[in-house]
Amino acid sequence: MAGSGAMLPVSLELLAGDIGGTGNADGAGTAVRFSGPMGVAISSSDGRIYIADRENGTIRKATSAGVVATLAGKPGGFGSADGTGAAARFRAPDRVAVDSAGNVYVADETNHSIRKITAAGVVTTLAGTSGMPGSADGTGAGARFNHPSGVAVDSAGNVYVADSANSTLRKVTAAGVVTTLAGTAGSPGEADGTGAAARFDHPTGVAVDGNGNLYVADDQSDTIRKITSAGVVTTLAGTAGVRGAADGTGAAAQFNAPQGVAVDRTFNVYVADTGNATIRKVSAAGVVVTLAGAAGMRGSADGSGAAARFDAPSDVAVDLSGNIYVADFAADTLRMVTPTGDVTTVAGAANLAGSTDGTGAAARFDFLGGIAGDSAGNLYVADGANNTIRKLTADGVVTTLAGTAPMAGSADGTGTAARFGDPFGIAVDSAGNLYVTDSANNTLRKITSAGVVTTLAGTAVTGGSADGTGSAARFNEPLGIAVDSAGNLYIADSRNNTVRKVTAAGVVTTLAGAAGLPGSTDGAGAAARFNFPSGVAVDSTGNIDVVDFNSGIIRKVTPAGVVTTLAGTAGMSGAVDGTGAGARFGLVLSASVDAAGNLYVLDGPTIRKITPTGVTTTVAGTPGVAGIMLGATPRFSGPQGLAIIGDSIVVADTNAVLLLRHGAQ
C-alpha cells in the first residue's frame, strides 16, 4: 500500500472474534439486522415500536411480534437532509420519542438538531441547525444544541431534550420554540436546584410522565434525576460520583453510567443501566431493584431476572401492559422484559460478545475501539465495553494485557489490577509502550510491555481543557491518539474540539483549536476550529492528519500548529470520491497513515484512502451496506479502529479483528 496508484485486489480475513449479526435488514425476528440500535420508543396508540438504528443512520419501526421495517433514512447514507423515507438523512440518530398522533421525534446527535418524522415518513427539522453546535434558545433553525442525546414528548406535543454536551434539559414546543428548562450550558455538575441553578453531567436519556414531570438518566453523575414542570430538580436515586450496582432506596442505590429511562402510568421509572448491563426499576419513592441482567455480566442470553444477559443496553421504553423494550446497542438486538423480569429477543441476531481469551474465532471482544501494532507483529486493541486492553499475536492468540472485564474504574496497577473507563484510542511507541485514551476517565494512560499501567496525564473523571503536566492537565473525552518518532503523542480531544500534544514526560499543550469553540475554520493554533475531532495519525514528516467527525472533513496540522483542510467540505456529507473539497465523507472516524503518507480512514462501513495531495478513493466496503462479509468483496459492520500493518490494513470491527490483505497486481 505504499504507493498512490491503482488499488490492488483485496481480501478480507477474520483474525479473531465474532462477525455475528450486525448489518441492515428488514424482516422478522432473527432475520432482522441492526447496527448499533441506540434508542427505542413505543406508540401508546397502536403499540408500534420505533428504533434509532444509530450506526445505520436510520429510524426503524417494529411490531411487538418483531416485524421490522425502515421508516426513514438510508443505511450508511449519512447526512442531514429532510425528505420522505429513504430520501431523508440522519447522522448518528441517538434516541427517539413518539406522540399520540404517531409522529416520531429524533435526537440527531451529531447534526445537533431535533428531527420530526410523520407517520408517513416525512422528515423535517424541528429545531437546531446541522453542523452548528451551541446552546442558544430560539425558534427552529435559530436554536442551538450540542450533541442532543435523549428526547421525550408530552401530551401537549412539547418535546424535551437531554442536551448532553451542554449538560442541560431543553424544551421544544410544537412550533419549534426552544427554551432551557434546567441546568446551565458549559457548567456540568450534580447540584439539585431550580432551573439554571441545577447541574447535570452529560444527561443522555429523558422521559416524561402524565403529570409533566421529567426523569433524566444523568450518565456521568451515575444518578436518576427528576424535574418538575416548574423546573425544580431533585435526585431520585443514586449518589453523584458513587458508581456501582447496589439496589436500595434513594442515595443508597448505585448506577453505572445509566443512559436510558422510561416511565409507566404508575410512575415507576425503568433504567437502562448501561455500564452494569442491567435493567433497573425505580419506584416513585426511589426504591431501586434490578429487574433483569446481572451487573458486570455482559452477553445476549434470554432468560429470567439475573439469568438474562445484556451487552450494552442503551435505552428503554415501556408499553401499556408494563413490558419494557430494550435497545441492546452492542448486541444489535431489540429485547423485551416482562414486568416479572423474563427477557426475550424480539428482533435481530446477537453478536457473540464477551471477554474470552483464546485463538482466532474462539476469542471474544465487546465493542472494540482503536487498534495498533508493534514492531514484533503483535496487535493491541482497546476493548471498550470490557474496559480492557487486549493483545493479539501474529498467530492469532488473544490475551488480556490490562484491566479486568467488565470492571470500569481508573486504577493504575499491573495487568488485571488496573481499571479503565471506556478505553478507545491506542498507540504504540518504538520501545513497545502502549498509550491509551481512557475516554470516560478523561485521561491518558501508559502501559508497559509487561502490563504495568500508569496515568500519564489528566485526572480521572475530572474533565476540562487545561494544559499542564501530568495530573494538572485536563481532557474532555479524548478519543484518537498517535505517536511520532520522538515519542510525542497527539490526541483528538473530541469534546474540547482541540488537538493536544503530550510529551513523553506528560507535558500537555494545545496544538490547535480552541476549547468550547467548535467549527471548521483553517488557521494557526487557537485560531483554527474543529468540530468533535475523533481520529489522528502522524506521518513521517511530523504532520498530523485529523478526522474532524462532525464537520465530515479531513484536516492536516503542521508541527507548528497550522491547520488546513485536506479533503471534504464542512457540512457536506456523502460518499463521493474526488480531490480535495470535491470529496464527501459520512461518519468518518479513525485514521492511520502509511509510509508514503497516504491516509486511510474509516467512513461508516467503508475504508477510504486520501493521498498527500488530497485524492480520495474508496478502498473497501460499500456505502450504506453494513454487515461483515469476508473474502474478495469485503463488507464491514461498525468499524471503530484501523492500523496499517505492512501492506495490509487491520480493522477493529465491533466484536472482531479483521485483516484486509492485498493480493497481486
Side-chain angles (χ1 to χ4, degrees), residues 12 49-50 63 73 95 133 155 173 176 304 319 416 434 447 515 568 576 654:
L12 188 64
I49 304 160
Y50 296 89
T63 69
R95 286 173 178 81
S155 58
T173 69
S304 182
D319 68 15
T416 57
L434 303 183
I447 311 174
V576 180
T654 312

Side-chain angles (χ1 to χ4, degrees), residues 600-626:
Y600 295 83
V601 299
L602 293 174
D603 187 12
T606 64
I607 297 176
R608 315 284 294 279
K609 174 184 174 182
I610 304 107
T611 70
T613 57
V615 178
T616 301
T617 53
T618 300
V619 173
T622 301
V625 181

Side-chain angles (χ1 to χ4, degrees), residues 522-612:
D522 291 338
R529 295 290 180 268
F530 299 92
N531 196 343
F532 203 83
S534 59
V536 289
V538 60
D539 66 22
S540 59
T541 64
N543 292 308
I544 302 100
D545 294 301
V546 181
V547 172
D548 204 2
F549 182 85
N550 276 349
S551 292
I553 54 179
I554 309 301
R555 320 289 291 279
K556 187 176 285 291
V557 187
T558 70
V562 179
V563 180
T564 54
T565 299
L566 177 63
T569 298
M572 302 288 288
S573 62
V576 180
D577 289 339
T579 300
R584 295 288 181 268
F585 302 90
L587 283 179
V588 63
L589 191 60
S590 299
S592 186
V593 66
D594 70 13
N598 298 301
L599 184 70
Y600 295 83
V601 299
L602 293 174
D603 187 12
T606 64
I607 297 176
R608 315 284 294 279
K609 174 184 174 182
I610 304 107
T611 70

Side-chain angles (χ1 to χ4, degrees), residues 113-129:
S113 57
I114 306 303
R115 317 289 292 279
K116 179 180 178 179
I117 313 173
T118 69
V122 180
V123 180
T124 54
T125 301
L126 179 63
T129 298

Side-chain angles (χ1 to χ4, degrees), residues 15 27 68 71 88 141 150 153 161 194 240 243 270 295 312-313 328 334 364 372 381 488 505 556 584 591 613 632 649:
L15 289 182
V68 177
L71 176 64
V153 59
V161 180
T194 301
R243 178 168 287 184
Y270 300 90
D328 201 356
L334 176 66
R364 290 291 178 265
V381 289
N488 298 302
K556 187 176 285 291
R584 295 288 181 268
T613 57
I649 302 174

